[in-house]
Amino acid sequence: MWPRKIRQGLALLPLALVVTCDAPESRTPEPRHHDVRIGPAAPRPAIIGRSVWHADEKAVREKPTYTGAVEAVFLHHTNHSNSYDCRTDVPGMLRSMQEHHIHDMGWNDLGYNFVVDRCGNIYEGRAGGVDRPVRGAHAKGFNGRSLGIAALGHFGSGQEVPPAMLESIAAVAAWKLPRGVDPEGHVRMVSNNDGSRFPKGKPAELNVISGHRDEYETQCPGAALYAQIPHLREMVARLRKR
């Protein structure tokens, strides 16, 4: 796992983000559609905090917004190269991604709630507290009551999804989804933005664990990672039954 202190000035890979895997913030919360029993159904995994990857807290534009219990998880990929070094490159990649989201996309902070690297390290994304339901900027029209987990890398057709990465994504989802939410089930949500696949105000029946492409016109999280989502749901369900 990651050392407690990381030296600044780490080597940085070229940023290769695409707008299609990002989604503008939407400030109107979606209504709650079914009873969710509050409380984790799985243990909290080890999470590397923002202070460790030296997030630029001065660049954050607004205080975090909280949305209530998480009812859906949207999986993303960041579209970086997959050849990064987990120990030396990742903090710089996260800082560059935060800068891109704030200065180029016009968001308040890094859009994703959590980012997972290919070695299975889990990073705190958007500020506000990993234990709280922080509203992200990852699912246009469905940011309310949802969680955005981004796989650091590019997982299009033919790419391998590292088992350690998938296991950590499952661990985060198992922990953040409250009791009473079936990770292999469905959730009814209402779009609050015409930019999603569903017009504003239209109900959408989505998988509790979905890919970004399920609600937004994009290739994200890539064909290879998207194909792993059914297996991911099974992994999350197993973790919650232990």
Side-chain angles (χ1 to χ4, degrees):
M1 184 50 67
W2 201 270
R4 292 186 178 180
K5 293 186 179 180
I6 301 176
R7 294 175 300 174
Q8 295 187 359
L10 297 172
L12 179 63
L13 289 179
L15 191 65
L17 296 176
V18 291
V19 174
T20 55
C21 203
D22 294 326
E25 289 189 318
S26 181
R27 308 296 293 179
T28 305
E30 286 84 357
R32 188 172 181 172
H33 294 292
H34 59 79
D35 180 55
V36 177
R37 286 170 283 165
I38 305 301
R44 169 179 164 170
I47 298 168
I48 300 169
R50 286 167 64 93
S51 63
V52 178
W53 59 267
H54 303 296
D56 187 353
E57 305 298 358
K58 293 182 179 179
V60 177
R61 292 180 170 179
E62 294 183 14
K63 293 181 179 179
T65 302
Y66 301 99
T67 68
V70 172
E71 297 186 7
V73 175
F74 291 107
L75 187 60
H76 306 257
H77 70 172
T78 65
N79 227 20
H80 286 88
S81 166
N82 294 334
S83 60
Y84 56 84
D85 185 289
C86 294
R87 293 180 61 85
T88 60
D89 294 332
V90 174
M93 295 167 71
L94 294 173
R95 290 194 297 273
S96 291
M97 188 158 53
Q98 181 194 26
E99 181 181 8
H100 168 67
H101 286 185
I102 293 173
H103 297 293
D104 298 330
M105 303 303 297
W107 301 346
N108 295 332
D109 193 4
L110 185 68
Y112 310 118
N113 299 105
F114 296 94
V115 180
V116 179
D117 71 18
R118 65 186 184 89
C119 298
N121 298 308
I122 303 168
Y123 297 86
E124 177 184 11
R126 174 161 289 216
V130 296
D131 296 300
R132 304 185 66 184
V134 179
R135 186 190 192 95
H138 59 92
K140 190 172 186 178
F142 298 94
N143 285 317
R145 300 191 181 277
S146 72
L147 182 75
I149 305 175
L152 192 63
H154 173 72
F155 298 101
S157 181
Q159 296 293 325
E160 179 184 357
V161 182
M165 171 180 274
L166 204 62
E167 289 170 4
S168 291
I169 291 171
V172 175
W175 169 56
K176 291 296 289 186
L177 285 171
R179 296 180 184 275
V181 176
D182 180 3
E184 296 182 282
H186 295 81
V187 60
R188 181 179 181 273
M189 305 183 81
V190 178
S191 173
N192 62 7
N193 194 304
D194 286 330
S196 75
R197 287 185 181 273
F198 304 89
K200 183 177 180 180
K202 181 178 180 179
E205 192 79 14
L206 299 167
N207 287 295
V208 168
I209 299 178
S210 294
H212 187 193
R213 64 173 67 181
D214 292 326
E215 63 84 23
Y216 188 69
E217 193 66 46
T218 177
Q219 294 301 308
C220 184
L225 185 52
Y226 190 77
Q228 291 293 324
I229 293 181
H231 177 50
L232 178 66
R233 295 182 188 121
E234 295 174 356
M235 294 172 67
V236 173
R238 286 198 300 270
L239 286 171
R240 290 161 65 87
K241 290 178 181 177
R242 291 180 182 175

